[in-house]
Amino acid sequence: MKKLLSSLALCALPLLAHAAPVVEMTTNKGVIEITLDSAKAPKTVANFVSYAKAGFYNGTVFHRIIDGFMIQGGGFDGKLEQKKTNAPIPNEAANGLKNTIGSIAMARTADPNSATAQFFINVANNEFLDYKNPTPQGIGYAVFGKVSKGMDVVNRIAKTHTGSMKGMDDVPFEPIVIQKVVVKP
């Protein structure tokens, strides 16, 4: 029985590792490691990992930075041209995860089910973005992971001087480039 339990435990290790994928986001300001929560946000994590593995995020920028709130990226290239994305995914904000400091969530439009590739990392506790109810006003923004290393990099990025560019506000004057996003083995 002991051998059977040991064998089962060893077989479960790859499943446990798969349950919490880790991505390494290399930026021109440093490396951010993010642990994703595929148990609570399976569709959102699968979507993010799919974009990462396809190299979609490589060369994109953090195009919206609001110190004391969040840093947003994943949808625009270095010329602030929006990249073509896959179809939107369903909103998984009712998963119990909160928009707390260091959490990563999907950006979206007013349509709760419009998230594609853009994400944001919270630099404050933003409970007003959390799920409250299934109405369009209460559905919130789907958190799908948390910064596990490199919060100092996130905070440094949040301090970048911003303004208006190409019809958008809160754009950093100094490009903050996501050089690559790699799913760690």
Side-chain angles (χ1 to χ4, degrees):
M1 184 65 158
K2 237 183 202 180
K3 283 185 181 180
L4 176 62
L5 289 175
S6 294
S7 294
L8 288 174
L10 287 175
C11 290
L13 284 176
L15 295 174
L16 291 173
H18 183 69
V22 175
V23 296
E24 188 173 86
M25 182 180 293
T26 303
T27 75
N28 61 331
K29 295 293 181 184
V31 177
I32 304 164
E33 182 183 276
I34 304 163
T35 301
L36 306 177
D37 194 331
S38 55
K40 291 190 176 179
K43 292 175 184 169
T44 307
V45 168
N47 177 68
F48 185 83
V49 166
S50 173
Y51 279 112
K53 285 184 174 180
F56 178 90
Y57 293 121
N58 302 350
T60 61
V61 296
F62 281 100
H63 67 277
R64 184 172 177 234
I65 295 174
I66 304 174
D67 191 19
F69 178 35
M70 58 88 224
I71 63 173
Q72 181 176 337
F76 291 84
D77 65 19
K79 295 179 183 175
L80 294 179
E81 299 292 329
Q82 193 160 11
K83 293 184 73 170
K84 185 169 173 44
T85 62
N86 299 328
I89 59 170
N91 189 316
E92 291 183 305
N95 61 20
L97 299 173
K98 305 293 183 192
N99 283 280
T100 56
I101 295 171
S103 62
I104 184 171
M106 292 305 294
R108 60 174 178 79
T109 66
D111 175 354
N113 296 301
S114 62
T116 55
Q118 290 187 42
F119 59 88
F120 60 93
I121 300 173
N122 290 288
V123 296
N125 291 323
N126 295 313
E127 56 276 342
F128 69 97
L129 299 177
D130 292 341
Y131 176 86
K132 290 165 195 58
N133 57 57
T135 67
Q137 299 78 22
I139 199 160
Y141 291 76
V143 173
F144 62 100
K146 189 143 180 102
V147 173
S148 40
K149 290 181 188 167
M151 197 61 199
D152 59 323
V153 175
V154 172
N155 289 327
R156 218 173 19 257
I157 292 170
K159 298 289 184 200
T160 305
H161 186 65
T162 63
S164 296
M165 270 192 226
K166 290 198 165 190
M168 296 187 290
D169 292 327
D170 308 306
V171 179
F173 289 129
E174 172 195 355
I176 308 298
V177 181
I178 299 169
Q179 297 164 329
K180 65 182 175 177
V181 176
V182 176
V183 181
K184 292 175 97 175

mmCIF file of all heavy atoms in Angstrom, residues 74-115:
data_model
loop_
_atom_site.group_PDB
_atom_site.id
_atom_site.type_symbol
_atom_site.label_atom_id
_atom_site.label_comp_id
_atom_site.label_asym_id
_atom_site.label_seq_id
_atom_site.Cartn_x
_atom_site.Cartn_y
_atom_site.Cartn_z
ATOM 1 N N GLY A 74 -0.036 44.159 -23.125
ATOM 2 C CA GLY A 74 -0.382 42.945 -23.845
ATOM 3 C C GLY A 74 -1.196 43.114 -25.105
ATOM 4 O O GLY A 74 -1.590 42.110 -25.700
ATOM 5 N N GLY A 75 -1.440 44.351 -25.547
ATOM 6 C CA GLY A 75 -2.264 44.495 -26.733
ATOM 7 C C GLY A 75 -1.711 45.388 -27.823
ATOM 8 O O GLY A 75 -2.219 45.385 -28.938
ATOM 9 N N PHE A 76 -0.678 46.159 -27.497
ATOM 10 C CA PHE A 76 -0.132 47.118 -28.452
ATOM 11 C C PHE A 76 1.354 46.879 -28.671
ATOM 12 O O PHE A 76 2.079 46.543 -27.741
ATOM 13 C CB PHE A 76 -0.329 48.554 -27.937
ATOM 14 C CG PHE A 76 -1.765 49.004 -27.920
ATOM 15 C CD1 PHE A 76 -2.590 48.700 -26.853
ATOM 16 C CD2 PHE A 76 -2.284 49.739 -28.979
ATOM 17 C CE1 PHE A 76 -3.916 49.115 -26.833
ATOM 18 C CE2 PHE A 76 -3.605 50.159 -28.971
ATOM 19 C CZ PHE A 76 -4.432 49.844 -27.901
ATOM 20 N N ASP A 77 1.805 47.121 -29.901
ATOM 21 C CA ASP A 77 3.230 47.005 -30.196
ATOM 22 C C ASP A 77 3.936 48.311 -29.826
ATOM 23 O O ASP A 77 3.302 49.238 -29.295
ATOM 24 C CB ASP A 77 3.463 46.619 -31.659
ATOM 25 C CG ASP A 77 3.019 47.681 -32.661
ATOM 26 O OD1 ASP A 77 2.858 48.870 -32.308
ATOM 27 O OD2 ASP A 77 2.846 47.323 -33.842
ATOM 28 N N GLY A 78 5.224 48.395 -30.101
ATOM 29 C CA GLY A 78 6.022 49.556 -29.737
ATOM 30 C C GLY A 78 5.608 50.852 -30.415
ATOM 31 O O GLY A 78 5.962 51.934 -29.967
ATOM 32 N N LYS A 79 4.846 50.753 -31.513
ATOM 33 C CA LYS A 79 4.353 51.947 -32.215
ATOM 34 C C LYS A 79 2.935 52.307 -31.771
ATOM 35 O O LYS A 79 2.273 53.121 -32.397
ATOM 36 C CB LYS A 79 4.381 51.707 -33.723
ATOM 37 C CG LYS A 79 5.791 51.527 -34.276
ATOM 38 C CD LYS A 79 5.754 51.260 -35.758
ATOM 39 C CE LYS A 79 7.167 51.026 -36.257
ATOM 40 N NZ LYS A 79 7.186 50.632 -37.672
ATOM 41 N N LEU A 80 2.484 51.640 -30.701
ATOM 42 C CA LEU A 80 1.125 51.797 -30.172
ATOM 43 C C LEU A 80 0.054 51.422 -31.194
ATOM 44 O O LEU A 80 -1.037 51.985 -31.220
ATOM 45 C CB LEU A 80 0.893 53.207 -29.623
ATOM 46 C CG LEU A 80 1.707 53.572 -28.389
ATOM 47 C CD1 LEU A 80 1.407 54.995 -27.948
ATOM 48 C CD2 LEU A 80 1.452 52.592 -27.239
ATOM 49 N N GLU A 81 0.395 50.433 -32.008
ATOM 50 C CA GLU A 81 -0.579 49.853 -32.932
ATOM 51 C C GLU A 81 -1.169 48.626 -32.255
ATOM 52 O O GLU A 81 -0.429 47.781 -31.745
ATOM 53 C CB GLU A 81 0.090 49.451 -34.248
ATOM 54 C CG GLU A 81 0.728 50.602 -35.013
ATOM 55 C CD GLU A 81 -0.280 51.593 -35.568
ATOM 56 O OE1 GLU A 81 -1.408 51.178 -35.905
ATOM 57 O OE2 GLU A 81 0.062 52.791 -35.651
ATOM 58 N N GLN A 82 -2.501 48.522 -32.252
ATOM 59 C CA GLN A 82 -3.155 47.389 -31.600
ATOM 60 C C GLN A 82 -2.950 46.122 -32.421
ATOM 61 O O GLN A 82 -3.092 46.124 -33.648
ATOM 62 C CB GLN A 82 -4.642 47.669 -31.408
ATOM 63 C CG GLN A 82 -5.299 46.688 -30.475
ATOM 64 C CD GLN A 82 -6.602 47.221 -29.895
ATOM 65 O OE1 GLN A 82 -7.118 48.224 -30.321
ATOM 66 N NE2 GLN A 82 -7.109 46.520 -28.904
ATOM 67 N N LYS A 83 -2.601 45.034 -31.710
ATOM 68 C CA LYS A 83 -2.376 43.753 -32.370
ATOM 69 C C LYS A 83 -3.694 43.003 -32.551
ATOM 70 O O LYS A 83 -4.601 43.121 -31.737
ATOM 71 C CB LYS A 83 -1.405 42.897 -31.538
ATOM 72 C CG LYS A 83 0.011 43.475 -31.493
ATOM 73 C CD LYS A 83 0.960 42.566 -30.750
ATOM 74 C CE LYS A 83 1.277 41.349 -31.583
ATOM 75 N NZ LYS A 83 2.371 40.539 -31.020
ATOM 76 N N LYS A 84 -3.763 42.219 -33.611
ATOM 77 C CA LYS A 84 -4.941 41.388 -33.873
ATOM 78 C C LYS A 84 -4.945 40.234 -32.863
ATOM 79 O O LYS A 84 -3.914 39.606 -32.633
ATOM 80 C CB LYS A 84 -4.884 40.861 -35.299
ATOM 81 C CG LYS A 84 -6.113 40.086 -35.712
ATOM 82 C CD LYS A 84 -6.108 39.824 -37.210
ATOM 83 C CE LYS A 84 -7.205 38.912 -37.651
ATOM 84 N NZ LYS A 84 -8.524 39.132 -37.117
ATOM 85 N N THR A 85 -6.110 39.980 -32.287
ATOM 86 C CA THR A 85 -6.232 38.957 -31.241
ATOM 87 C C THR A 85 -7.172 37.831 -31.667
ATOM 88 O O THR A 85 -7.865 37.932 -32.682
ATOM 89 C CB THR A 85 -6.782 39.575 -29.941
ATOM 90 O OG1 THR A 85 -8.089 40.107 -30.189
ATOM 91 C CG2 THR A 85 -5.865 40.667 -29.415
ATOM 92 N N ASN A 86 -7.194 36.818 -30.835
ATOM 93 C CA ASN A 86 -8.158 35.730 -30.994
ATOM 94 C C ASN A 86 -9.511 36.197 -30.464
ATOM 95 O O ASN A 86 -9.633 37.301 -29.930
ATOM 96 C CB ASN A 86 -7.686 34.501 -30.225
ATOM 97 C CG ASN A 86 -6.360 33.988 -30.739
ATOM 98 O OD1 ASN A 86 -6.054 34.091 -31.927
ATOM 99 N ND2 ASN A 86 -5.545 33.437 -29.853
ATOM 100 N N ALA A 87 -10.502 35.345 -30.559
ATOM 101 C CA ALA A 87 -11.851 35.658 -30.074
ATOM 102 C C ALA A 87 -11.829 35.905 -28.558
ATOM 103 O O ALA A 87 -10.993 35.344 -27.843
ATOM 104 C CB ALA A 87 -12.788 34.504 -30.408
ATOM 105 N N PRO A 88 -12.746 36.726 -28.060
ATOM 106 C CA PRO A 88 -12.828 36.977 -26.612
ATOM 107 C C PRO A 88 -13.159 35.701 -25.832
ATOM 108 O O PRO A 88 -13.707 34.738 -26.380
ATOM 109 C CB PRO A 88 -13.977 37.981 -26.487
ATOM 110 C CG PRO A 88 -14.177 38.553 -27.845
ATOM 111 C CD PRO A 88 -13.728 37.493 -28.813
ATOM 112 N N ILE A 89 -12.824 35.747 -24.551
ATOM 113 C CA ILE A 89 -13.079 34.605 -23.662
ATOM 114 C C ILE A 89 -14.159 34.970 -22.642
ATOM 115 O O ILE A 89 -14.385 36.151 -22.367
ATOM 116 C CB ILE A 89 -11.789 34.158 -22.933
ATOM 117 C CG1 ILE A 89 -11.204 35.306 -22.097
ATOM 118 C CG2 ILE A 89 -10.782 33.613 -23.936
ATOM 119 C CD1 ILE A 89 -10.085 34.894 -21.168
ATOM 120 N N PRO A 90 -14.805 33.970 -22.052
ATOM 121 C CA PRO A 90 -15.810 34.246 -21.022
ATOM 122 C C PRO A 90 -15.147 34.816 -19.763
ATOM 123 O O PRO A 90 -14.024 34.444 -19.420
ATOM 124 C CB PRO A 90 -16.448 32.890 -20.727
ATOM 125 C CG PRO A 90 -15.794 31.892 -21.595
ATOM 126 C CD PRO A 90 -14.708 32.549 -22.364
ATOM 127 N N ASN A 91 -15.848 35.701 -19.097
ATOM 128 C CA ASN A 91 -15.352 36.337 -17.881
ATOM 129 C C ASN A 91 -15.412 35.350 -16.708
ATOM 130 O O ASN A 91 -16.478 34.820 -16.394
ATOM 131 C CB ASN A 91 -16.213 37.569 -17.575
ATOM 132 C CG ASN A 91 -15.659 38.411 -16.458
ATOM 133 O OD1 ASN A 91 -15.237 37.905 -15.425
ATOM 134 N ND2 ASN A 91 -15.678 39.715 -16.644
ATOM 135 N N GLU A 92 -14.257 35.111 -16.066
ATOM 136 C CA GLU A 92 -14.186 34.199 -14.918
ATOM 137 C C GLU A 92 -13.969 34.960 -13.611
ATOM 138 O O GLU A 92 -13.350 34.452 -12.686
ATOM 139 C CB GLU A 92 -13.046 33.188 -15.115
ATOM 140 C CG GLU A 92 -13.308 32.197 -16.223
ATOM 141 C CD GLU A 92 -12.211 31.162 -16.369
ATOM 142 O OE1 GLU A 92 -11.029 31.550 -16.540
ATOM 143 O OE2 GLU A 92 -12.523 29.958 -16.302
ATOM 144 N N ALA A 93 -14.491 36.176 -13.515
ATOM 145 C CA ALA A 93 -14.271 36.998 -12.318
ATOM 146 C C ALA A 93 -14.932 36.431 -11.062
ATOM 147 O O ALA A 93 -14.526 36.770 -9.957
ATOM 148 C CB ALA A 93 -14.754 38.427 -12.556
ATOM 149 N N ALA A 94 -15.911 35.555 -11.201
ATOM 150 C CA ALA A 94 -16.610 34.984 -10.052
ATOM 151 C C ALA A 94 -15.848 33.803 -9.444
ATOM 152 O O ALA A 94 -16.434 32.933 -8.818
ATOM 153 C CB ALA A 94 -18.015 34.548 -10.452
ATOM 154 N N ASN A 95 -14.524 33.798 -9.589
ATOM 155 C CA ASN A 95 -13.703 32.666 -9.150
ATOM 156 C C ASN A 95 -13.164 32.797 -7.726
ATOM 157 O O ASN A 95 -12.444 31.930 -7.255
ATOM 158 C CB ASN A 95 -12.544 32.447 -10.135
ATOM 159 C CG ASN A 95 -11.616 33.648 -10.218
ATOM 160 O OD1 ASN A 95 -11.570 34.499 -9.334
ATOM 161 N ND2 ASN A 95 -10.849 33.711 -11.296
ATOM 162 N N GLY A 96 -13.481 33.889 -7.042
ATOM 163 C CA GLY A 96 -13.019 34.077 -5.667
ATOM 164 C C GLY A 96 -11.688 34.801 -5.549
ATOM 165 O O GLY A 96 -11.306 35.225 -4.460
ATOM 166 N N LEU A 97 -10.958 34.963 -6.655
ATOM 167 C CA LEU A 97 -9.686 35.697 -6.614
ATOM 168 C C LEU A 97 -9.976 37.189 -6.623
ATOM 169 O O LEU A 97 -10.929 37.640 -7.253
ATOM 170 C CB LEU A 97 -8.809 35.306 -7.804
ATOM 171 C CG LEU A 97 -8.408 33.833 -7.878
ATOM 172 C CD1 LEU A 97 -7.678 33.537 -9.184
ATOM 173 C CD2 LEU A 97 -7.554 33.447 -6.690
ATOM 174 N N LYS A 98 -9.145 37.953 -5.937
ATOM 175 C CA LYS A 98 -9.379 39.387 -5.755
ATOM 176 C C LYS A 98 -8.314 40.229 -6.457
ATOM 177 O O LYS A 98 -7.177 39.801 -6.629
ATOM 178 C CB LYS A 98 -9.391 39.738 -4.259
ATOM 179 C CG LYS A 98 -10.374 38.931 -3.422
ATOM 180 C CD LYS A 98 -11.795 39.262 -3.773
ATOM 181 C CE LYS A 98 -12.774 38.507 -2.889
ATOM 182 N NZ LYS A 98 -14.135 38.596 -3.381
ATOM 183 N N ASN A 99 -8.704 41.434 -6.823
ATOM 184 C CA ASN A 99 -7.803 42.412 -7.430
ATOM 185 C C ASN A 99 -6.996 43.096 -6.327
ATOM 186 O O ASN A 99 -7.250 44.247 -5.961
ATOM 187 C CB ASN A 99 -8.599 43.427 -8.257
ATOM 188 C CG ASN A 99 -9.028 42.868 -9.582
ATOM 189 O OD1 ASN A 99 -8.248 42.816 -10.520
ATOM 190 N ND2 ASN A 99 -10.269 42.405 -9.661
ATOM 191 N N THR A 100 -6.041 42.352 -5.795
ATOM 192 C CA THR A 100 -5.172 42.855 -4.729
ATOM 193 C C THR A 100 -3.801 43.192 -5.301
ATOM 194 O O THR A 100 -3.504 42.857 -6.449
ATOM 195 C CB THR A 100 -5.022 41.799 -3.611
ATOM 196 O OG1 THR A 100 -4.534 40.586 -4.199
ATOM 197 C CG2 THR A 100 -6.354 41.520 -2.915
ATOM 198 N N ILE A 101 -2.977 43.826 -4.512
ATOM 199 C CA ILE A 101 -1.631 44.192 -4.955
ATOM 200 C C ILE A 101 -0.903 42.965 -5.498
ATOM 201 O O ILE A 101 -0.846 41.928 -4.842
ATOM 202 C CB ILE A 101 -0.823 44.820 -3.796
ATOM 203 C CG1 ILE A 101 -1.450 46.143 -3.377
ATOM 204 C CG2 ILE A 101 0.642 45.015 -4.192
ATOM 205 C CD1 ILE A 101 -0.855 46.743 -2.105
ATOM 206 N N GLY A 102 -0.390 43.091 -6.709
ATOM 207 C CA GLY A 102 0.373 42.016 -7.326
ATOM 208 C C GLY A 102 -0.441 41.018 -8.124
ATOM 209 O O GLY A 102 0.130 40.172 -8.812
ATOM 210 N N SER A 103 -1.769 41.117 -8.067
ATOM 211 C CA SER A 103 -2.577 40.176 -8.850
ATOM 212 C C SER A 103 -2.609 40.632 -10.307
ATOM 213 O O SER A 103 -2.486 41.807 -10.619
ATOM 214 C CB SER A 103 -3.998 40.070 -8.286
ATOM 215 O OG SER A 103 -4.662 41.316 -8.351
ATOM 216 N N ILE A 104 -2.774 39.652 -11.201
ATOM 217 C CA ILE A 104 -2.899 39.934 -12.630
ATOM 218 C C ILE A 104 -4.323 39.586 -13.033
ATOM 219 O O ILE A 104 -4.865 38.556 -12.621
ATOM 220 C CB ILE A 104 -1.846 39.161 -13.471
ATOM 221 C CG1 ILE A 104 -1.918 39.550 -14.947
ATOM 222 C CG2 ILE A 104 -1.962 37.660 -13.267
ATOM 223 C CD1 ILE A 104 -0.779 39.002 -15.799
ATOM 224 N N ALA A 105 -4.936 40.471 -13.817
ATOM 225 C CA ALA A 105 -6.324 40.287 -14.251
ATOM 226 C C ALA A 105 -6.437 40.629 -15.720
ATOM 227 O O ALA A 105 -5.575 41.298 -16.295
ATOM 228 C CB ALA A 105 -7.255 41.181 -13.424
ATOM 229 N N MET A 106 -7.523 40.185 -16.322
ATOM 230 C CA MET A 106 -7.776 40.482 -17.728
ATOM 231 C C MET A 106 -8.401 41.854 -17.881
ATOM 232 O O MET A 106 -9.334 42.209 -17.161
ATOM 233 C CB MET A 106 -8.713 39.431 -18.343
ATOM 234 C CG MET A 106 -8.095 38.053 -18.469
ATOM 235 S SD MET A 106 -6.533 37.998 -19.386
ATOM 236 C CE MET A 106 -7.052 38.465 -21.031
ATOM 237 N N ALA A 107 -7.888 42.609 -18.839
ATOM 238 C CA ALA A 107 -8.509 43.870 -19.219
ATOM 239 C C ALA A 107 -9.644 43.538 -20.188
ATOM 240 O O ALA A 107 -9.618 42.498 -20.851
ATOM 241 C CB ALA A 107 -7.483 44.778 -19.881
ATOM 242 N N ARG A 108 -10.635 44.405 -20.231
ATOM 243 C CA ARG A 108 -11.781 44.189 -21.121
ATOM 244 C C ARG A 108 -12.459 45.519 -21.401
ATOM 245 O O ARG A 108 -12.123 46.534 -20.807
ATOM 246 C CB ARG A 108 -12.765 43.198 -20.503
ATOM 247 C CG ARG A 108 -13.337 43.679 -19.151
ATOM 248 C CD ARG A 108 -14.413 42.743 -18.649
ATOM 249 N NE ARG A 108 -14.947 43.113 -17.359
ATOM 250 C CZ ARG A 108 -15.840 44.064 -17.137
ATOM 251 N NH1 ARG A 108 -16.298 44.787 -18.127
ATOM 252 N NH2 ARG A 108 -16.289 44.310 -15.914
ATOM 253 N N THR A 109 -13.445 45.500 -22.272
ATOM 254 C CA THR A 109 -14.259 46.680 -22.539
ATOM 255 C C THR A 109 -15.458 46.655 -21.584
ATOM 256 O O THR A 109 -15.486 45.844 -20.646
ATOM 257 C CB THR A 109 -14.758 46.675 -24.001
ATOM 258 O OG1 THR A 109 -15.659 45.575 -24.176
ATOM 259 C CG2 THR A 109 -13.600 46.549 -24.997
ATOM 260 N N ALA A 110 -16.471 47.465 -21.869
ATOM 261 C CA ALA A 110 -17.688 47.458 -21.041
ATOM 262 C C ALA A 110 -18.426 46.121 -21.131
ATOM 263 O O ALA A 110 -19.176 45.758 -20.232
ATOM 264 C CB ALA A 110 -18.608 48.603 -21.461
ATOM 265 N N ASP A 111 -18.182 45.385 -22.197
ATOM 266 C CA ASP A 111 -18.764 44.047 -22.345
ATOM 267 C C ASP A 111 -17.993 43.102 -21.427
ATOM 268 O O ASP A 111 -16.796 42.901 -21.608
ATOM 269 C CB ASP A 111 -18.652 43.594 -23.802
ATOM 270 C CG ASP A 111 -19.131 42.166 -24.038
ATOM 271 O OD1 ASP A 111 -19.456 41.442 -23.064
ATOM 272 O OD2 ASP A 111 -19.159 41.754 -25.215
ATOM 273 N N PRO A 112 -18.659 42.511 -20.429
ATOM 274 C CA PRO A 112 -17.962 41.646 -19.470
ATOM 275 C C PRO A 112 -17.213 40.473 -20.105
ATOM 276 O O PRO A 112 -16.243 39.984 -19.550
ATOM 277 C CB PRO A 112 -19.077 41.132 -18.553
ATOM 278 C CG PRO A 112 -20.171 42.121 -18.691
ATOM 279 C CD PRO A 112 -20.084 42.651 -20.099
ATOM 280 N N ASN A 113 -17.657 40.022 -21.282
ATOM 281 C CA ASN A 113 -17.039 38.870 -21.941
ATOM 282 C C ASN A 113 -16.221 39.282 -23.165
ATOM 283 O O ASN A 113 -16.253 38.619 -24.201
ATOM 284 C CB ASN A 113 -18.120 37.850 -22.327
ATOM 285 C CG ASN A 113 -18.802 37.284 -21.099
ATOM 286 O OD1 ASN A 113 -18.161 36.698 -20.238
ATOM 287 N ND2 ASN A 113 -20.102 37.493 -21.007
ATOM 288 N N SER A 114 -15.453 40.360 -23.034
ATOM 289 C CA SER A 114 -14.704 40.892 -24.170
ATOM 290 C C SER A 114 -13.186 40.760 -24.024
ATOM 291 O O SER A 114 -12.445 41.212 -24.891
ATOM 292 C CB SER A 114 -15.061 42.365 -24.383
ATOM 293 O OG SER A 114 -14.698 43.119 -23.235
ATOM 294 N N ALA A 115 -12.711 40.138 -22.956
ATOM 295 C CA ALA A 115 -11.260 40.018 -22.752
ATOM 296 C C ALA A 115 -10.629 39.156 -23.836
ATOM 297 O O ALA A 115 -11.156 38.110 -24.206
ATOM 298 C CB ALA A 115 -10.962 39.432 -21.379
#
